[in-house]
């Protein structure tokens, strides 16, 4: 039987090789195409000696291989390791945030894909988050999906207007005992909300509780995590950026998470809502 130390021996060696910014840059540069020593040194702005030394270490670790023409490329092991780096990067950049926030009951399959949120932008402040959601609503052309712990009246008004005018799909999930504004009922009557439900433009479901929240349309998405009290912190959110390469992965993560909860939610029950 292996002792506790030997279980992590191979992982320790791998982490040692990854604990160098130049080697990480080399791995990142090789994820799209192979390169020779001269090209990688020029690409990273390092000396040939530095590049050679780091390549030797990466080859010894089994992360990089060299062909007969002198070009270096990632091995299967190296490629797979590369897919894990965004998760470490996202958590490392946001370690202060996650010192008082957590993943709550987020299924492990989504935790394992948390690197999809790397390169996201952090929106700070309740007002800024609400404005981001409203903007998302306004630019929606196909659908709006949302799972949040409460329904501010101004969000309700913007969403309803867009759905009625553009005839786009609006699916939302609320937790039992969700806080809804008293004026919300009057507003829903004004816009003939039952007709939107009847026509299928609006669909809604209910879940026991919402801790990790998501809001998205066909292009943009944002996610909010709970604080250590287990309450969704709507004072800050991570949002995807159209200008960064993993925009699609971020959106896909949020969409998959919403669909997962939609499939596991129950029929909507108005009597469970709490007016405030």
């Amino acid at each position: 039987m292996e002792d506790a130390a030997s279980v992590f021996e191979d992982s320790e060696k791998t982490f040692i090789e990854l604990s160098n910014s130049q080697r990480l840059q080399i791995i990142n540069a090789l994820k799209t195409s192979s390169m020779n020593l001269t090209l990688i040194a020029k690409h990273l702005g390092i000396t040939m000696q530095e590049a050679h030394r780091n390549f030797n270490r990466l080859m010894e670790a089994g992360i990089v291989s060299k062909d007969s023409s002198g070009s270096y490329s990632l091995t299967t092991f190296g490629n797979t390791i590369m897919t894990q780096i965004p998760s470490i990067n996202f958590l490392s950049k946001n370690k202060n945030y996650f010192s008082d926030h957590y993943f709550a009951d987020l299924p492990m399959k989504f935790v394992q894909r948390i690197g999809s949120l790397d390169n996201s932008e952090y929106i700070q402040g309740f007002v800024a988050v609400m404005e981001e959601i409203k903007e998302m609503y306004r630019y929606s052309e196909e659908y709006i999906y949302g799972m949040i712990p409460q329904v501010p009246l101004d969000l309700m008004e913007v969403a309803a207007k867009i759905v009625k005018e553009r005839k786009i799909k609006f699916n939302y999930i609320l937790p039992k005992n969700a806080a809804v504004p008293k004026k919300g009922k009057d507003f829903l009557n004004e816009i003939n909300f039952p007709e939107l439900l009847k026509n299928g433009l609006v669909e809604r479901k209910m879940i026991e509780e919402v801790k990790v929240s998501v809001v998205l349309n066909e292009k943009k998405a944002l996610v909010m995590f709970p604080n250590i009290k287990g309450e969704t912190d709507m004072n800050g959110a991570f949002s995807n950026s159209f200008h960064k390469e993993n925009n699609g992965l971020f959106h896909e993560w949020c969409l998959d998470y919403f669909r997962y909860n939609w499939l596991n939610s129950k029929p909507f029950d108005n009597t469970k809502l709490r007016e405030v």
Side-chain angles (χ1 to χ4, degrees), residues 41 58 78 101 107 114 119 141 184 203 246 252 255:
L58 290 171
H101 293 78
I114 206 68
N119 287 330
E141 297 177 352
E203 291 187 64
N246 77 333
E252 183 180 341
L255 180 59

Side-chain angles (χ1 to χ4, degrees), residues 226-243:
N227 56 31
I228 54 177
K229 295 179 181 179
E231 302 167 345
T232 303
D233 184 2
M234 299 181 72
N235 293 303
F238 294 95
S239 177
N240 61 334
S241 170
F242 294 119
H243 309 295

Side-chain angles (χ1 to χ4, degrees), residues 41-259:
K42 183 178 180 180
H43 180 73
L44 299 182
I46 60 178
T47 66
M48 293 282 285
Q49 290 83 355
E50 288 175 315
H52 186 265
R53 182 179 67 252
N54 284 310
F55 269 123
N56 282 341
R57 295 193 61 155
L58 290 171
M59 285 194 295
E60 288 176 10
I63 296 172
V64 166
S65 63
K66 181 181 178 182
D67 64 21
S68 57
S69 68
S71 290
Y72 295 88
S73 59
L74 293 177
T75 61
T76 299
F77 174 57
N79 263 309
T80 308
I81 286 293
M82 191 63 208
T83 65
Q84 306 305 309
I85 290 177
S87 293
I88 299 172
N89 201 42
F90 173 72
L91 294 171
S92 297
K93 287 188 300 185
N94 297 290
K95 58 181 178 290
N96 290 334
Y97 174 86
F98 286 109
S99 67
D100 54 11
H101 293 78
Y102 74 124
F103 294 142
D105 53 358
L106 189 67
M108 184 54 62
K109 62 182 178 180
F110 291 101
V111 175
Q112 291 171 338
R113 292 170 53 195
I114 206 68
S116 298
L117 309 186
D118 194 25
N119 287 330
S120 57
E121 297 177 350
Y122 183 67
I123 303 166
Q124 188 166 10
F126 180 80
V127 173
V129 171
M130 291 301 103
E131 288 303 314
E132 181 75 8
I133 294 175
K134 290 178 191 176
E135 183 179 12
M136 193 184 303
Y137 287 175
R138 294 188 187 104
Y139 285 94
S140 298
E141 297 177 352
E142 298 177 19
Y143 63 80
I144 299 170
Y145 295 159
M147 182 173 69
I148 53 178
Q150 56 179 290
V151 190
L153 182 59
D154 51 346
L155 285 187
M156 189 185 297
E157 291 172 341
V158 175
K161 180 181 178 181
I162 298 300
V163 171
K164 286 196 70 174
E165 289 180 353
R166 301 181 189 168
K167 308 298 182 186
I168 65 173
K169 189 77 174 175
F170 182 30
N171 288 7
Y172 65 90
I173 303 170
L174 290 180
K176 292 179 180 178
N177 297 317
V180 295
K182 290 182 179 180
K183 293 182 179 180
K185 187 178 293 185
D186 294 334
F187 172 73
L188 293 179
N189 289 331
E190 288 176 14
I191 64 168
N192 197 7
F193 188 71
E195 189 67 21
L196 296 178
L197 289 170
K198 182 180 178 181
N199 293 338
L201 285 176
V202 175
E203 291 187 64
R204 53 188 182 167
K205 285 191 173 185
M206 188 162 276
I207 200 167
E208 194 66 33
E209 58 183 351
V210 171
K211 292 185 177 180
V212 179
S213 297
V214 290
V215 180
L216 64 152
N217 63 14
E218 66 279 358
K219 295 179 181 178
K220 192 86 171 172
L222 63 79
V223 57
M224 296 168 279
F225 292 100
N227 56 31
I228 54 177
K229 295 179 181 179
E231 302 167 345
T232 303
D233 184 2
M234 299 181 72
N235 293 303
F238 294 95
S239 177
N240 61 334
S241 170
F242 294 119
H243 309 295
K244 295 182 179 178
E245 65 182 65
N246 77 333
N247 172 54
L249 291 176
F250 186 106
H251 186 274
E252 183 180 341
W253 189 97
C254 293
L255 180 59
D256 288 348
Y257 184 61
F258 178 83
R259 286 173 171 168

